[in-house]
Amino acid sequence: MAKKYLGQNFLFDPSILHRIVEAADITHNDTVVEIGPGPGTLTKILAGVAKKVIAIELDLELYTKLKEEIEKIKSSHPFTHLPTYPFNIELVHADALKYHYEELEPFKVVANIPYYITTPIIFRLIEARKNLKSMTLTIQKEVAQRIVGKPNTKDYGVLSIAVQYYGKPELKFIIPKSAFRPVPKVDSAVIHIEIFEKPTVTVKDEKLFFRIVKTAFSQRRKMLSNSLKPISKDIREILTNAKIDPNRRAETLSIKEFAILANSIESA
Ligand code: SAH
């Protein structure tokens, strides 16, 4: 029985699983971290193309089952010295939100993410991005659309900026909910996020930058001269000096304009 509270919606269709691996652009030099391997369908395909797969599963029952299956394949394998499948799978029983990604060699993440932790996992990975090259994630379609959202659209917001500041997200394809077992309530999408070595824009104070973004979008229908008052009582003047019309709304500002604004507030 799938555990709903652990976001267990499994994928078995080999053609979809192969498309995910293709979107992740994995080569035999790559270390891949898979979050939530579940029954291991994606894990085994990944292990066939990657140098190493570290698969982190929280559910002890699924972890134990997959562990036994991998051990069985290993013991029936004649070439026990091979550094490849199935010997390159390291199965870990842990909470992916608490994993020490910082200590890994350069790696790529591939995951059909449990829905209940979609944004915390993305933020945890961004925080631990030192050696993270890319993430290829199967997530709810609506969240994927927000991540790739561009200015002047309803999808554009804090999540778009938080991800696009650190990387380049691309929506690869949609997976209809009917492809999952059990069938979830919403469709999913596969997104690929390439992590930049340096953020897209130069910001002197990242905390302030994100505080401005969050404050501006917390009242997204208001003009910036009003919504950003909690940041500074001189906000109208600061906006004008930064050549941003104080009558504009949050969703019209590019990431670059938010950066210009943050930098001019910092030096105001
Ligand atoms: N990759 C599989 C399973 C996806 S379902 C497939 O595509 O079919 C999500 C998986 O994440 C489940 O196996 C669930 O037990 C696991 N999971 C849920 N919360 C987790 C957490 N915090 N850390 C690691 N794995 C988790």
Side-chain angles (χ1 to χ4, degrees):
M1 262 302 267
K3 299 184 179 77
K4 210 173 165 188
Y5 68 95
L6 284 178
Q8 295 180 350
N9 297 99
F10 305 122
L11 276 173
F12 295 102
D13 183 336
S15 75
I16 293 179
L17 294 165
H18 276 102
R19 280 180 79 193
I20 294 174
V21 176
E22 200 177 302
D25 194 20
I26 305 297
T27 72
H28 61 273
N29 293 318
D30 286 322
T31 296
V32 176
V33 171
E34 189 196 359
I35 294 166
T41 41
L42 187 59
T43 322
K44 284 173 240 166
I45 301 175
L46 286 168
V49 290
K51 182 171 82 180
K52 183 177 180 184
V53 178
I54 302 169
I56 308 168
E57 176 57 60
L58 179 63
D59 184 349
L60 183 61
E61 200 182 321
L62 286 176
Y63 163 85
T64 309
K65 233 172 151 181
L66 186 55
K67 182 100 191 155
E68 283 168 7
E69 188 191 335
I70 293 170
E71 291 309 323
K72 214 163 142 194
I73 305 171
K74 281 183 185 173
S75 61
S76 65
H77 210 287
F79 307 114
T80 49
H81 61 286
L82 282 180
T84 52
Y85 176 81
F87 301 96
N88 61 348
I89 301 175
E90 179 188 330
L91 197 58
V92 181
H93 177 227
D95 181 346
L97 284 169
K98 297 184 184 143
Y99 190 74
H100 49 82
Y101 303 97
E102 286 87 347
E103 290 163 26
L104 300 178
E105 57 179 299
F107 66 102
K108 294 177 176 174
V109 167
V110 181
N112 172 9
I113 295 206
Y115 289 168
Y116 77 106
I117 48 166
T118 308
T119 45
I121 271 284
I122 293 174
F123 283 115
R124 171 72 190 105
L125 290 168
I126 285 177
E127 178 191 46
R129 70 191 170 281
K130 192 166 59 84
N131 287 322
L132 174 60
K133 297 204 274 187
S134 67
M135 325 184 207
T136 306
L137 310 174
T138 303
I139 57 179
Q140 302 96 302
K141 191 174 87 179
E142 283 71 20
V143 181
Q145 286 164 335
R146 275 161 51 208
I147 287 175
V148 301
K150 292 289 175 211
N152 298 309
T153 67
K154 69 168 177 28
D155 289 326
Y156 185 59
V158 180
L159 187 60
S160 332
I161 295 177
V163 173
Q164 292 170 32
Y165 176 75
Y166 294 106
K168 184 173 164 243
E170 241 182 290
L171 201 157
K172 292 288 194 177
F173 59 96
I174 305 290
I175 306 181
K177 56 186 180 202
S178 59
F180 295 87
R181 289 294 174 274
V183 179
K185 287 202 181 75
V186 295
D187 291 334
S188 285
V190 174
I191 57 164
H192 179 76
I193 308 171
E194 206 183 301
I195 304 295
F196 299 135
E197 271 177 31
K198 272 198 215 141
T200 2
V201 291
T202 312
V203 163
K204 282 185 266 177
D205 180 344
E206 275 187 11
K207 266 207 176 125
L208 175 64
F209 169 78
F210 283 112
R211 192 152 69 86
I212 292 170
V213 171
K214 279 184 199 151
T215 310
F217 278 103
S218 68
Q219 294 179 295
R220 64 186 292 151
R221 299 193 168 278
K222 282 200 179 171
M223 293 186 274
L224 293 168
S225 56
N226 280 325
S227 61
L228 287 178
K229 265 203 188 121
I231 300 284
S232 164
K233 62 176 175 24
D234 304 321
I235 193 65
R236 178 171 285 276
E237 197 185 338
I238 294 169
L239 283 160
T240 310
N241 289 342
K243 303 208 163 31
I244 297 167
D245 183 346
N247 295 338
R248 286 171 64 186
R249 286 159 225 263
E251 66 179 30
T252 71
L253 259 64
S254 65
I255 297 185
K256 199 166 171 196
E257 286 176 310
F258 273 113
I260 292 170
L261 180 59
N263 291 341
S264 58
I265 288 182
E266 212 232 6
S267 59

